[in-house]
Amino acid sequence: KLYSVVTKASDKEAEERLKAQARAARNAKQAALKRVEASKLGKVLADKTTRQVILAILVMLFFLPLVEEWLVQVADTSRSHGLQQVFWFGRSNCSFARMDGSSRNRP
């Protein structure tokens, strides 16, 4: 009777060890599957992001020259600024002291 109790206990221990090993193997497989799923998700997200970036660059390549041309037409003040610079070249509103001590406005 004692022998049967001892063998049952050792059988139960062996069975528990096998169950623990089986659980560990299942957990390892599940973890590997999760890693594979995560890497697939990463690939999908990277591909989607790459497509969006390429699309944004193409849109900028096509539309920025049009916008820039419009801005130049709206805010082109270079001609009037250049004419002002030519008109005021050599003129000053400041008075300066002459060598003889008198001061006068420069023409």
Side-chain angles (χ1 to χ4, degrees):
K1 193 172 182 183
L2 183 62
Y3 176 74
S4 65
V5 172
V6 171
T7 55
K8 283 183 185 179
S10 64
D11 287 343
K12 284 184 182 180
E13 289 175 4
E15 188 178 327
E16 287 296 323
R17 274 189 250 130
L18 288 174
K19 284 182 182 179
Q21 287 175 350
R23 271 183 270 153
R26 274 184 283 163
N27 289 340
K29 284 181 182 178
Q30 287 175 351
L33 287 175
K34 284 181 183 178
R35 275 181 268 154
V36 169
E37 290 173 5
S39 66
K40 286 181 183 178
L41 177 65
K43 287 178 184 177
V44 169
L45 289 175
D47 188 40
K48 186 176 179 180
T49 303
T50 303
R51 287 181 186 188
Q52 288 176 346
V53 168
I54 290 173
L55 184 65
I57 289 172
L58 288 175
V59 166
M60 287 191 312
L61 282 174
F62 285 115
F63 288 109
L64 279 181
L66 299 174
V67 171
E68 186 176 327
E69 183 178 318
W70 176 75
L71 287 175
V72 168
Q73 289 175 356
V74 169
D76 188 15
T77 59
S78 60
R79 191 176 303 160
S80 62
H81 181 70
L83 286 174
Q84 286 178 353
Q85 292 296 320
V86 169
F87 178 77
W88 289 107
F89 180 73
R91 295 180 178 234
S92 174
N93 291 332
C94 301
S95 62
F96 62 95
R98 296 178 65 183
M99 293 242 183
D100 61 1
S102 66
S103 66
R104 67 179 184 99
N105 287 341
R106 191 173 180 190

